[in-house]
Amino acid sequence: MPGLRDGLIGTLVTRATPEACAGISFLATKVPAEERVWMQWRRHEAIKNALRRAWTAKTRTSEEILAMARDFRAVTIDTMDDLLDAVLACQARRS
C-alpha cells in the first residue's frame, strides 16, 4: 500500500493543478501526524511545479518578439531572478 500511496501522491504532484494541490492539502489533514510534514513537502513540490508550468507555458509569438526587439525596456522573464531584475529596473526608472 505505501507504494500505491506514494505513486498516487506523485501523480498529484506531477499534475500540479489547483485541484491536485488542494487534494494533497486535504490528504495532509487525514494522515497520521508523523506523515504530515512529508505531505506538506509534497504539496510544496506541487505548488512549485504549478508555478513553473505557469511561467513556461506561454510561448511567444513572432509579433511579441518583434515588439520586444523594438522596445529597449522589454525583457523576458523566465525565472524569479529575471522578475526581480525587471522590478528593480522599473523602480530605478521611476526614481
Side-chain angles (χ1 to χ4, degrees):
M1 288 306 271
L4 177 62
R5 180 200 63 189
D6 293 347
L8 292 173
I9 298 298
T11 299
L12 290 173
V13 169
T14 302
R15 191 164 290 163
T17 62
E19 296 81 12
C21 294
I24 295 170
S25 293
F26 173 76
L27 292 172
T29 66
K30 302 299 180 189
V31 297
E34 62 271 6
E35 293 185 25
R36 286 192 185 125
V37 170
W38 177 79
M39 290 293 288
Q40 290 299 332
W41 183 256
R42 297 299 292 187
R43 179 180 163 270
H44 178 72
E45 287 181 278
I47 291 170
K48 282 186 357 184
N49 287 343
L51 292 171
R52 185 177 298 115
R53 186 173 295 143
W55 278 98
T56 59
K58 179 159 177 13
T59 56
R60 293 169 182 94
T61 65
S62 57
E63 291 83 18
E64 290 171 322
I65 293 171
L66 287 173
M68 290 174 63
R70 291 183 192 112
D71 185 355
F72 71 94
R73 296 169 299 170
V75 295
T76 58
I77 298 175
D78 295 315
T79 66
M80 290 189 333
D81 289 336
D82 293 342
L83 178 59
L84 178 61
D85 291 342
V87 169
L88 293 174
C90 182
Q91 287 180 335
R93 283 195 302 267
R94 291 178 183 229
S95 298

